[in-house]
Amino acid sequence: MSRFQELIRKTRDAIQQVIVGKKEEIDFLLTALFSNGHVLLEDVPGTGKTMMAKTLARALGCSFKRIQFTPDLLPSDVVGIQFYNQKTGDFEFRSGPIHTQILLADEINRATPRTQSSLLESMEERQVTVEGKTMKLPAPFFVIATQNPIESQGTFPLPEAQMDRFLLKLSIGYPNLEEERTILRRFKESVPLEQLDTVLSSEDILHIQKEVSAVAIHEDVETYLLQIVQQTRSSELLATGISPRGSLALMKASQAFAYIQGRDYVVPDDIRILVPKVFAHRIILTLEAQMKTTELEVLEYILEHVAVPVERI
Amino acid sequence: MKRLDLPLGAVFFLFFLALNMESGILLWVTVTIALWILAARWWKYHMFQRLKAYFDIFPKRLFPGEKVSGYLILENRSFLPIMNLKVDFTLWGKMELKSTHLTAMNRKKQWTRYEGTFFVGPKKRIRIPIELAGELRGANIIRDLLLEVVDPFGIYRVEKSFHLFEEILVYPIEQELEDLTELNRMPLGDTVVKRWIQDDIFFPIGARPYQYGDAFTRIDFKATAKLQSLHTKVYDYTAHGDVCVITNLLTQEAKWMGVDEVIMERSLSIVTRLARESLQKQMRFSLFINAQMGKGLRVFELPAGLGRLHFRRTLEVLARFSHAHATPFSLALTQAKQRFPNGALTIVITPYIEEKIQQELNYLSLKGFEIYWIDPTNERPYLHEMTVGKKGVGLIG
């Protein structure tokens, strides 16, 4: 475990050479990667979403592709297409940009629901089927989807049922004054991304994913997690609480998060930190509650009112 | 100058007296009293400071007629009990707070003061249940929580204040409106968006020459008349229609008649209904009120937005709206005109339309605004067509 811990530390440092600040967000991205999940980034343009994805791909030595979603994008533009090659007289498959290890799906909510589905289904199954032919996607397969805040014009919001394909929903936000000053200085003459070396390989990531699943979670911490989930199901403000898939997602994310912090066990703080990221996009407020509060406020209220397991010394 | 600690001063006096009189008993008593006072001081400056008080109320947004339950929480983090702890706070607004452990001591029009006395054991937290009922629109704020008690040693009277700001908003009632079919965003793919080219104001980009097979229902007759050839409307399915609401909330006449508050509440209720309709029909909603709310801002504006977060923001703005200095209604119309150079579906909420305003509205109508009027003084308000050229509505004068 210590060798991979060291590599993870170096990966974070390497990413920090390009991305200024945002340590928590980097940890969350790595959490999603090591728990074999995907990430939805919701943020305004220009906050570094593409740069973060590219930097992550570079540091991990993984192949990287980007899809810019537009209203006229077709599913075949994502997964690939069979086309007739006149020279050979045969049908050939031209793979789409989804056939990569790290995929940045930019502005996913600008595409029509049909095109969104083609990506989301592939994310879940880790394979694509084109005209009856099934192809496995490479491992590891990590999708970072971005979307502008939901109130923008000309968008097709992701349906709630599809949202839980994403392990985490994050927001990068603007840098503070000092961070922005560092960005200006760092990017003044060159792009640091070009000098970035690979730290972790694909095989290392697969090993880490196996080790993450072995991270211990104590019965009391498990009970704490389940109590939070139960509260979401019984809350009057929520039309839909967390499903068992959501509980599983939180458990896996907690294990990965603990691993990144250098532990082989999960503590309640890991759960508390991850609940807003893992659960906020999986719960649905009632119509009335939508006018009074937000998902994050409800989760915050639940966290404050569920007793944290403590160890008596 | 720092206040003199009288008990401690008295102890010093006794101490010097004991030394002078060389009295062992007096010295022993003095030392005992001194220790007692020092313990009280230690409690006052350390243990009492660890007392926490706060409210636990969720959610903090209500619809009229709803109630919310919460707690006043007192936490004693010291290892000594606190007896006869007096709690005092003020609730600003029209809301009523009910609790079996708190008493309303002082009721004024704008605020009510509540008081209660409690015992909090060592290392204990007590939760005092409270219930808040919101009947009337407005912002209600709980603040200035004051704790007062005599220390366990009976020497010092101490107090601690918490500068809270717990805001609980009661949204306006939604006014029932007849026939809102005019607020219409046609099914996905059919919203008409017309944009005018700068150099040729007569050619709308939202229309194209007629092609064989185009539906007759999509003929753009205005462009056809202007350009003398058949044109079809062009649709932009990614665009959303705009609903612009302009209110004349604070009229002098209403104030003289003493009905300004009634008209204001009714108008805000109508705005709430229109905002909800816009949300359901996925139209962008914006609001202009003829009220000066800040320095130099002569028209209160809620910029256009859509979605449920925007609707929530609208409700919060309407809940917080209170009496402000009235500005001419025409200023609100002018500002709306500037915000929507391509026009918008405009709803004017006003008890009356004077000639000057009618002319302004006629002008807006010719510029591409679809105008409707709602009279808030009607018992059953409805959308009244004002767009020139539509259904026999003509220019005034």
Side-chain angles (χ1 to χ4, degrees), chain B residues 280-349:
Chain B
Q280 283 166 353
K281 289 181 176 165
Q282 295 178 62
M283 298 179 85
R284 293 192 329 154
F285 178 83
S286 58
L287 175 63
F288 299 84
I289 304 177
N290 64 326
Q292 185 160 9
M293 299 294 281
K295 286 180 188 175
L297 298 170
R298 300 199 69 197
V299 172
F300 176 80
E301 180 183 348
L302 179 72
L306 91 158
R308 62 180 172 92
L309 281 178
H310 183 70
F311 179 55
R312 191 183 153 195
R313 209 174 298 137
T314 307
L315 291 176
E316 289 178 358
V317 159
L318 295 175
R320 291 194 181 102
F321 189 86
S322 62
H323 288 286
H325 179 68
T327 55
F329 185 43
S330 53
L331 279 182
L333 287 177
T334 307
Q335 192 148 320
K337 189 174 70 184
Q338 287 167 354
R339 292 287 177 268
F340 297 100
N342 296 323
L345 194 154
T346 306
I347 302 170
V348 166
I349 303 174

Side-chain angles (χ1 to χ4, degrees), chain A residues 151 291-292 294-295 305, chain B residues 56 66 171 308-311:
Chain A
E151 292 178 340
M291 303 311 133
K292 297 178 189 178
T294 61
E295 288 86 355
H305 289 79
Chain B
D56 180 15
E66 278 186 350
Y171 293 147
R308 62 180 172 92
L309 281 178
H310 183 70
F311 179 55

